[in-house]
Amino acid sequence: VEDEFANIGRTDRDVRQRQVGIWVLQATAMPSVLIETGFLSYPKEEDFLMSDKGQDLMASGIFRALKEYKLQLESVN
């Protein structure tokens, strides 16, 4: 997901793993990811995320990342 966001010009803030888990991720029995698409407290990011173009770019990036993950899993089997 981070790579796809970088491909569309979003700031790469690096992937971070917390020492203490996040309940919504720990409470699943399947692979999961929590995605932060940006910060509404920054006016420029808010404008991007509220725009149709920004939403399309972010949704497309997430879709491509999940599709790639699925293809990788299928190629192992």
Coordinates of all heavy atoms in Angstrom, one line a residue:
V1 N 0.8 -1.2 0.0 CA 0.0 0.0 0.0 C 0.9 1.2 0.0 O 0.6 2.2 -0.7 CB -1.0 0.0 1.2 CG1 -1.7 1.3 1.3 CG2 -1.9 -1.2 1.1
E2 N 1.9 1.2 0.8 CA 2.8 2.4 0.9 C 3.5 2.6 -0.5 O 3.6 3.8 -0.9 CB 3.9 2.1 1.9 CG 4.8 3.3 2.2 CD 4.1 4.4 3.0 OE1 3.0 4.1 3.6 OE2 4.5 5.5 3.0
D3 N 3.9 1.6 -1.2 CA 4.5 1.8 -2.5 C 3.5 2.4 -3.5 O 3.9 3.3 -4.3 CB 5.0 0.4 -3.0 CG 6.2 -0.1 -2.3 OD1 6.9 0.7 -1.6 OD2 6.5 -1.3 -2.4
E4 N 2.3 1.9 -3.4 CA 1.2 2.5 -4.3 C 1.0 4.0 -4.0 O 0.8 4.8 -4.9 CB -0.1 1.7 -4.3 CG 0.0 0.3 -4.9 CD 0.3 0.3 -6.4 OE1 -0.1 1.3 -7.1 OE2 0.8 -0.7 -6.9
F5 N 0.9 4.3 -2.8 CA 0.7 5.7 -2.4 C 1.9 6.6 -2.9 O 1.7 7.7 -3.4 CB 0.6 5.9 -0.9 CG -0.8 5.4 -0.4 CD1 -1.0 5.5 1.0 CD2 -1.8 5.0 -1.2 CE1 -2.3 5.1 1.5 CE2 -3.0 4.6 -0.7 CZ -3.3 4.7 0.6
A6 N 3.1 6.0 -2.8 CA 4.3 6.8 -3.2 C 4.2 6.9 -4.8 O 4.6 8.0 -5.3 CB 5.6 6.0 -2.8
N7 N 3.7 5.9 -5.5 CA 3.6 6.0 -6.9 C 2.7 7.1 -7.4 O 2.8 7.6 -8.5 CB 3.1 4.6 -7.5 CG 4.2 3.6 -7.5 OD1 5.3 3.9 -7.3 ND2 3.7 2.3 -7.5
I8 N 1.7 7.5 -6.6 CA 0.8 8.5 -7.0 C 1.2 9.9 -6.4 O 0.4 10.8 -6.4 CB -0.7 8.2 -6.6 CG1 -0.9 8.0 -5.1 CG2 -1.2 7.0 -7.4 CD1 -2.4 7.9 -4.7
G9 N 2.4 9.9 -5.8 CA 2.9 11.2 -5.3 C 2.6 11.6 -3.9 O 2.9 12.7 -3.5
R10 N 2.1 10.6 -3.1 CA 1.9 10.9 -1.7 C 3.1 10.8 -0.9 O 4.1 10.1 -1.3 CB 0.8 9.9 -1.1 CG -0.5 9.9 -1.9 CD -1.2 11.2 -1.8 NE -1.7 11.4 -0.4 CZ -2.0 12.6 0.1 NH1 -1.9 13.6 -0.7 NH2 -2.4 12.7 1.3
T11 N 3.2 11.5 0.2 CA 4.4 11.5 1.0 C 4.6 10.1 1.7 O 3.6 9.6 2.2 CB 4.3 12.6 2.2 OG1 4.1 13.8 1.6 CG2 5.5 12.6 3.1
D12 N 5.8 9.6 1.6 CA 6.1 8.3 2.2 C 6.5 8.5 3.6 O 7.6 9.1 3.9 CB 7.2 7.6 1.4 CG 7.6 6.2 1.9 OD1 7.1 5.9 3.0 OD2 8.3 5.5 1.2
R13 N 5.7 8.1 4.5 CA 6.0 8.3 6.0 C 6.5 7.0 6.6 O 6.5 6.9 7.8 CB 4.7 8.8 6.7 CG 4.3 10.2 6.3 CD 3.2 10.8 7.2 NE 3.0 12.2 6.9 CZ 2.2 12.6 6.0 NH1 1.5 11.8 5.2 NH2 2.0 13.9 5.8
D14 N 6.8 6.1 5.7 CA 7.4 4.8 6.2 C 6.3 3.9 6.9 O 5.3 4.4 7.4 CB 8.6 5.0 7.1 CG 9.5 3.8 7.1 OD1 9.4 2.9 6.2 OD2 10.3 3.7 8.0
V15 N 6.5 2.7 6.8 CA 5.6 1.7 7.5 C 6.1 1.5 8.9 O 7.3 1.4 9.1 CB 5.6 0.3 6.7 CG1 4.8 -0.7 7.5 CG2 5.1 0.5 5.3
R16 N 5.2 1.6 9.8 CA 5.6 1.5 11.2 C 4.8 0.4 11.9 O 3.6 0.2 11.6 CB 5.4 2.8 12.0 CG 6.2 3.9 11.4 CD 6.0 5.2 12.1 NE 6.7 6.2 11.4 CZ 6.4 7.4 11.5 NH1 5.4 7.9 12.2 NH2 7.1 8.3 10.8
Q17 N 5.5 -0.4 12.8 CA 4.8 -1.4 13.6 C 4.9 -1.0 15.0 O 6.0 -0.7 15.5 CB 5.4 -2.8 13.3 CG 4.6 -3.8 14.0 CD 5.1 -5.2 13.5 OE1 5.7 -5.4 12.5 NE2 4.7 -6.2 14.3
R18 N 3.7 -1.0 15.7 CA 3.7 -0.5 17.1 C 4.1 -1.7 18.0 O 3.9 -2.9 17.6 CB 2.3 -0.1 17.4 CG 1.8 1.1 16.7 CD 0.4 1.4 16.9 NE -0.1 1.2 18.2 CZ -1.0 1.9 18.8 NH1 -1.7 2.8 18.1 NH2 -1.4 1.7 20.0
Q19 N 4.7 -1.4 19.1 CA 5.0 -2.4 20.1 C 3.8 -3.0 20.7 O 3.7 -4.2 20.9 CB 5.9 -1.8 21.2 CG 7.2 -1.2 20.8 CD 8.2 -2.3 20.2 OE1 7.8 -3.4 20.1 NE2 9.3 -1.8 19.9
V20 N 2.8 -2.2 20.9 CA 1.5 -2.7 21.4 C 0.5 -2.8 20.2 O 0.4 -1.8 19.5 CB 0.9 -1.8 22.5 CG1 -0.4 -2.3 23.0 CG2 1.9 -1.7 23.7
G21 N -0.1 -3.9 20.0 CA -1.0 -4.1 18.9 C -2.2 -3.2 18.9 O -2.6 -2.6 19.9
I22 N -2.8 -3.1 17.8 CA -4.1 -2.3 17.6 C -5.2 -3.3 17.6 O -5.2 -4.3 16.8 CB -4.0 -1.5 16.3 CG1 -2.9 -0.5 16.3 CG2 -5.4 -0.8 16.1 CD1 -2.6 0.2 15.0
W23 N -6.2 -3.1 18.4 CA -7.3 -4.1 18.6 C -7.9 -4.5 17.3 O -8.2 -5.7 17.1 CB -8.3 -3.6 19.6 CG -9.3 -4.6 19.9 CD1 -9.2 -5.6 20.9 CD2 -10.6 -4.9 19.3 NE1 -10.3 -6.5 20.8 CE2 -11.1 -6.0 19.9 CE3 -11.2 -4.2 18.3 CZ2 -12.4 -6.5 19.5 CZ3 -12.5 -4.7 17.9 CH2 -13.0 -5.8 18.5
V24 N -8.3 -3.6 16.4 CA -9.0 -3.9 15.2 C -8.1 -4.8 14.3 O -8.7 -5.5 13.4 CB -9.4 -2.6 14.4 CG1 -10.5 -1.9 15.2 CG2 -8.3 -1.8 14.0
L25 N -6.8 -4.8 14.5 CA -5.9 -5.7 13.7 C -5.7 -7.0 14.4 O -5.6 -8.0 13.8 CB -4.6 -5.0 13.4 CG -4.7 -3.7 12.6 CD1 -3.3 -3.1 12.5 CD2 -5.3 -3.9 11.2
Q26 N -5.7 -7.0 15.7 CA -5.4 -8.2 16.5 C -6.7 -9.1 16.5 O -6.6 -10.3 16.7 CB -5.0 -7.9 17.9 CG -3.6 -7.3 18.0 CD -3.2 -7.1 19.4 OE1 -4.0 -6.5 20.2 NE2 -2.0 -7.4 19.8
A27 N -7.8 -8.5 16.4 CA -9.1 -9.2 16.6 C -9.5 -9.9 15.3 O -10.7 -10.4 15.2 CB -10.2 -8.3 17.0
T28 N -8.7 -10.0 14.3 CA -9.0 -10.7 13.1 C -8.3 -12.1 13.0 O -7.3 -12.3 13.6 CB -8.6 -9.9 11.8 OG1 -7.2 -9.8 11.8 CG2 -9.2 -8.5 11.9
A29 N -8.9 -12.9 12.2 CA -8.3 -14.3 11.9 C -7.7 -14.3 10.5 O -7.5 -15.4 10.0 CB -9.4 -15.3 12.1
M30 N -7.5 -13.2 9.9 CA -7.0 -13.1 8.6 C -6.0 -12.0 8.5 O -5.9 -11.1 9.4 CB -8.2 -12.9 7.6 CG -8.7 -11.5 7.7 SD -10.5 -11.2 7.7 CE -11.2 -12.4 8.8
P31 N -5.2 -11.9 7.4 CA -4.3 -10.8 7.2 C -5.1 -9.5 7.2 O -6.2 -9.4 6.7 CB -3.7 -11.1 5.8 CG -3.9 -12.5 5.6 CD -5.1 -12.9 6.3
S32 N -4.5 -8.5 7.8 CA -5.2 -7.2 7.9 C -4.2 -6.1 7.9 O -3.0 -6.3 8.2 CB -6.0 -7.1 9.1 OG -5.2 -7.3 10.3
V33 N -4.7 -4.9 7.5 CA -3.8 -3.7 7.4 C -4.7 -2.5 7.8 O -5.9 -2.5 7.5 CB -3.2 -3.5 6.0 CG1 -4.2 -3.3 5.0 CG2 -2.2 -2.4 6.0
L34 N -4.1 -1.6 8.5 CA -4.8 -0.3 8.8 C -4.2 0.8 8.0 O -2.9 0.9 8.1 CB -4.6 0.0 10.3 CG -5.3 1.3 10.8 CD1 -6.8 1.2 10.7 CD2 -4.9 1.5 12.3
I35 N -4.9 1.4 7.2 CA -4.4 2.4 6.3 C -4.8 3.8 6.7 O -6.0 4.1 6.9 CB -4.9 2.1 4.8 CG1 -4.5 0.7 4.4 CG2 -4.4 3.2 3.9 CD1 -5.2 0.3 3.1
E36 N -3.8 4.7 6.8 CA -4.1 6.1 7.1 C -3.8 6.8 5.7 O -2.7 6.8 5.2 CB -3.1 6.7 8.1 CG -3.4 6.2 9.5 CD -2.5 6.8 10.5 OE1 -1.4 7.3 10.2 OE2 -2.9 6.9 11.7
T37 N -4.9 7.4 5.2 CA -4.8 8.0 3.8 C -4.2 9.4 3.9 O -3.9 9.9 2.9 CB -6.1 8.0 3.1 OG1 -7.1 8.7 4.0 CG2 -6.6 6.6 2.9
G38 N -4.2 10.0 5.1 CA -3.7 11.4 5.2 C -4.2 12.0 6.5 O -4.8 11.3 7.3
F39 N -4.0 13.3 6.6 CA -4.3 14.0 7.8 C -5.2 15.2 7.5 O -4.7 16.1 6.8 CB -3.0 14.4 8.6 CG -2.2 13.3 9.0 CD1 -1.1 12.9 8.2 CD2 -2.4 12.6 10.2 CE1 -0.3 11.8 8.6 CE2 -1.7 11.5 10.5 CZ -0.6 11.1 9.7
L40 N -6.4 15.2 7.9 CA -7.3 16.2 7.6 C -7.0 17.5 8.3 O -7.5 18.6 8.0 CB -8.8 15.8 8.0 CG -9.3 14.7 7.3 CD1 -10.7 14.3 7.8 CD2 -9.4 14.9 5.8
S41 N -6.0 17.5 9.3 CA -5.6 18.7 10.0 C -4.7 19.5 9.1 O -4.3 20.6 9.5 CB -4.9 18.3 11.3 OG -3.9 17.4 11.1
Y42 N -4.2 19.0 8.0 CA -3.4 19.7 7.1 C -4.2 20.1 5.9 O -4.7 19.3 5.1 CB -2.2 18.9 6.6 CG -1.2 18.4 7.6 CD1 -0.8 17.1 7.7 CD2 -0.7 19.3 8.6 CE1 0.1 16.7 8.7 CE2 0.2 18.9 9.5 CZ 0.6 17.6 9.6 OH 1.5 17.2 10.5
P43 N -4.5 21.4 5.7 CA -5.4 21.9 4.7 C -5.1 21.3 3.3 O -6.1 20.9 2.6 CB -5.3 23.4 4.7 CG -4.9 23.7 6.1 CD -4.0 22.5 6.5
K44 N -3.9 21.2 2.9 CA -3.5 20.7 1.6 C -4.0 19.2 1.4 O -4.5 18.8 0.4 CB -2.0 20.9 1.3 CG -1.6 20.6 -0.1 CD -0.2 20.9 -0.3 CE 0.3 20.6 -1.7 NZ 1.6 21.0 -2.0
E45 N -3.7 18.4 2.5 CA -4.1 17.0 2.4 C -5.6 16.9 2.5 O -6.2 16.0 1.8 CB -3.5 16.3 3.6 CG -2.0 16.0 3.3 CD -1.5 14.9 4.3 OE1 -2.3 14.0 4.8 OE2 -0.3 14.8 4.4
E46 N -6.3 17.8 3.3 CA -7.7 17.7 3.3 C -8.3 18.0 2.0 O -9.2 17.3 1.5 CB -8.3 18.7 4.3 CG -9.8 18.7 4.4 CD -10.3 19.8 5.4 OE1 -9.6 20.7 5.8 OE2 -11.5 19.6 5.7
D47 N -7.8 19.0 1.3 CA -8.3 19.3 -0.1 C -8.1 18.1 -1.0 O -9.1 17.8 -1.8 CB -7.6 20.5 -0.6 CG -7.9 21.8 0.1 OD1 -8.9 21.9 0.8 OD2 -7.1 22.8 -0.1
F48 N -7.0 17.5 -1.0 CA -6.7 16.3 -1.8 C -7.7 15.2 -1.5 O -8.3 14.6 -2.4 CB -5.3 15.9 -1.6 CG -5.0 14.6 -2.4 CD1 -4.7 14.6 -3.8 CD2 -4.9 13.4 -1.8 CE1 -4.4 13.5 -4.5 CE2 -4.6 12.2 -2.4 CZ -4.4 12.3 -3.8
L49 N -7.8 14.9 -0.2 CA -8.7 13.7 0.2 C -10.1 14.0 0.0 O -10.9 13.1 -0.2 CB -8.4 13.4 1.7 CG -7.0 12.9 2.0 CD1 -6.8 12.8 3.5 CD2 -6.8 11.5 1.3
M50 N -10.5 15.2 0.0 CA -11.9 15.6 -0.2 C -12.3 15.7 -1.7 O -13.5 15.7 -2.1 CB -12.3 16.9 0.5 CG -12.2 16.8 2.0 SD -13.3 15.6 2.7 CE -14.9 16.3 2.4
S51 N -11.3 15.7 -2.6 CA -11.5 15.9 -4.0 C -11.9 14.5 -4.6 O -11.4 13.5 -4.2 CB -10.3 16.5 -4.7 OG -9.3 15.6 -4.8
D52 N -12.6 14.6 -5.7 CA -13.0 13.3 -6.4 C -11.7 12.7 -7.0 O -11.5 11.5 -6.9 CB -13.9 13.6 -7.6 CG -15.3 13.9 -7.1 OD1 -15.7 13.6 -6.0 OD2 -16.1 14.5 -7.9
K53 N -10.8 13.5 -7.5 CA -9.5 12.9 -8.0 C -8.7 12.3 -6.9 O -8.2 11.2 -7.1 CB -8.7 14.1 -8.7 CG -7.4 13.6 -9.3 CD -6.6 14.7 -9.9 CE -5.3 14.1 -10.4 NZ -4.4 15.2 -11.0
G54 N -8.6 12.9 -5.8 CA -7.8 12.4 -4.7 C -8.4 11.1 -4.2 O -7.7 10.1 -3.9
Q55 N -9.7 11.0 -4.1 CA -10.4 9.8 -3.6 C -10.2 8.7 -4.6 O -9.9 7.5 -4.2 CB -11.8 10.1 -3.3 CG -12.0 11.0 -2.1 CD -13.5 11.4 -1.9 OE1 -14.4 10.7 -2.4 NE2 -13.7 12.4 -1.1
D56 N -10.3 9.0 -5.9 CA -10.1 8.0 -6.9 C -8.6 7.5 -6.9 O -8.4 6.3 -7.0 CB -10.4 8.5 -8.3 CG -11.9 8.7 -8.6 OD1 -12.7 8.1 -7.8 OD2 -12.2 9.4 -9.5
L57 N -7.7 8.4 -6.8 CA -6.3 7.9 -6.7 C -6.0 7.1 -5.5 O -5.3 6.0 -5.6 CB -5.3 9.2 -6.7 CG -5.2 9.9 -8.0 CD1 -4.4 11.2 -7.8 CD2 -4.5 9.0 -9.0
M58 N -6.5 7.4 -4.4 CA -6.3 6.7 -3.1 C -6.9 5.3 -3.2 O -6.3 4.3 -2.9 CB -6.7 7.4 -1.9 CG -6.0 8.7 -1.7 SD -4.2 8.5 -1.5 CE -4.1 8.0 0.2
A59 N -8.2 5.3 -3.7 CA -8.9 4.0 -3.8 C -8.2 3.1 -4.8 O -8.1 1.9 -4.6 CB -10.4 4.3 -4.2
S60 N -7.8 3.6 -5.9 CA -7.1 2.9 -7.0 C -5.8 2.3 -6.4 O -5.5 1.1 -6.7 CB -6.9 3.7 -8.2 OG -8.1 4.1 -8.8
G61 N -5.1 3.1 -5.7 CA -3.8 2.6 -5.1 C -4.0 1.5 -4.1 O -3.3 0.5 -4.1
I62 N -5.0 1.6 -3.3 CA -5.4 0.5 -2.3 C -5.8 -0.7 -3.1 O -5.3 -1.8 -2.8 CB -6.4 1.0 -1.3 CG1 -5.9 2.1 -0.4 CG2 -6.9 -0.2 -0.5 CD1 -7.0 2.8 0.4
F63 N -6.6 -0.6 -4.1 CA -7.0 -1.7 -4.9 C -5.8 -2.4 -5.6 O -5.7 -3.7 -5.5 CB -8.0 -1.3 -6.0 CG -8.3 -2.4 -7.0 CD1 -9.2 -3.4 -6.6 CD2 -7.7 -2.4 -8.2 CE1 -9.5 -4.4 -7.5 CE2 -8.0 -3.4 -9.1 CZ -8.9 -4.4 -8.8
R64 N -4.9 -1.7 -6.2 CA -3.7 -2.3 -6.8 C -2.9 -3.0 -5.8 O -2.4 -4.1 -6.1 CB -2.9 -1.2 -7.5 CG -3.5 -0.7 -8.8 CD -2.6 0.2 -9.7 NE -2.1 1.3 -8.9 CZ -2.8 2.5 -8.8 NH1 -4.0 2.6 -9.4 NH2 -2.3 3.5 -8.2
A65 N -2.7 -2.4 -4.6 CA -1.9 -3.1 -3.6 C -2.5 -4.4 -3.1 O -1.8 -5.4 -3.0 CB -1.7 -2.1 -2.4
L66 N -3.8 -4.4 -2.9 CA -4.5 -5.6 -2.5 C -4.5 -6.7 -3.6 O -4.3 -7.9 -3.4 CB -5.9 -5.3 -2.1 CG -6.1 -4.5 -0.8 CD1 -7.5 -4.2 -0.5 CD2 -5.4 -5.1 0.4
K67 N -4.6 -6.2 -4.9 CA -4.6 -7.1 -6.0 C -3.2 -7.8 -6.1 O -3.1 -9.0 -6.3 CB -4.9 -6.4 -7.3 CG -5.0 -7.2 -8.5 CD -5.4 -6.4 -9.7 CE -5.3 -7.2 -11.0 NZ -5.6 -6.4 -12.2
E68 N -2.2 -7.0 -5.9 CA -0.8 -7.5 -6.0 C -0.5 -8.5 -4.8 O 0.1 -9.5 -5.0 CB 0.2 -6.3 -5.9 CG 1.7 -6.8 -5.9 CD 2.1 -7.5 -7.2 OE1 1.5 -7.2 -8.3 OE2 3.0 -8.3 -7.1
Y69 N -1.0 -8.2 -3.7 CA -0.9 -9.1 -2.5 C -1.5 -10.4 -2.8 O -1.0 -11.5 -2.6 CB -1.5 -8.4 -1.3 CG -1.5 -9.3 -0.1 CD1 -0.3 -9.6 0.6 CD2 -2.6 -10.0 0.4 CE1 -0.3 -10.4 1.7 CE2 -2.6 -10.8 1.5 CZ -1.4 -11.0 2.2 OH -1.4 -11.9 3.3
K70 N -2.7 -10.4 -3.4 CA -3.5 -11.6 -3.7 C -2.7 -12.4 -4.8 O -2.6 -13.6 -4.6 CB -4.9 -11.2 -4.2 CG -5.7 -12.4 -4.6 CD -7.1 -12.0 -5.0 CE -8.0 -13.1 -5.4 NZ -7.7 -13.8 -6.6
L71 N -2.2 -11.7 -5.8 CA -1.4 -12.4 -6.8 C -0.2 -13.1 -6.2 O 0.2 -14.2 -6.6 CB -1.0 -11.5 -7.9 CG -2.2 -11.0 -8.8 CD1 -1.7 -9.9 -9.8 CD2 -2.8 -12.1 -9.6
Q72 N 0.5 -12.4 -5.3 CA 1.7 -13.0 -4.6 C 1.3 -14.2 -3.8 O 2.0 -15.2 -3.9 CB 2.3 -12.0 -3.7 CG 3.1 -10.9 -4.5 CD 3.7 -9.8 -3.5 OE1 3.8 -10.1 -2.3 NE2 4.1 -8.7 -4.1
L73 N 0.2 -14.2 -3.1 CA -0.2 -15.3 -2.3 C -0.6 -16.5 -3.3 O -0.2 -17.7 -3.0 CB -1.5 -15.0 -1.5 CG -1.3 -14.2 -0.3 CD1 -2.6 -13.9 0.4 CD2 -0.3 -14.8 0.7
E74 N -1.2 -16.2 -4.4 CA -1.6 -17.3 -5.3 C -0.4 -17.9 -6.0 O -0.4 -19.1 -6.3 CB -2.6 -16.8 -6.3 CG -4.0 -16.4 -5.7 CD -4.9 -15.7 -6.6 OE1 -4.5 -15.2 -7.7 OE2 -6.1 -15.7 -6.3
S75 N 0.6 -17.1 -6.2 CA 1.8 -17.7 -6.9 C 2.6 -18.6 -6.0 O 3.4 -19.4 -6.5 CB 2.7 -16.5 -7.5 OG 3.3 -15.9 -6.4
V76 N 2.4 -18.5 -4.7 CA 3.2 -19.4 -3.8 C 2.6 -20.8 -3.8 O 3.3 -21.7 -3.6 CB 3.1 -18.8 -2.4 CG1 3.7 -19.7 -1.4 CG2 3.9 -17.5 -2.3
N77 N 1.3 -20.8 -4.0 CA 0.6 -22.1 -4.0 C 0.7 -22.9 -5.3 O 0.9 -22.7 -6.3 CB -0.9 -21.9 -3.7 CG -1.1 -21.4 -2.3 OD1 -0.3 -21.6 -1.4 ND2 -2.1 -20.5 -2.1

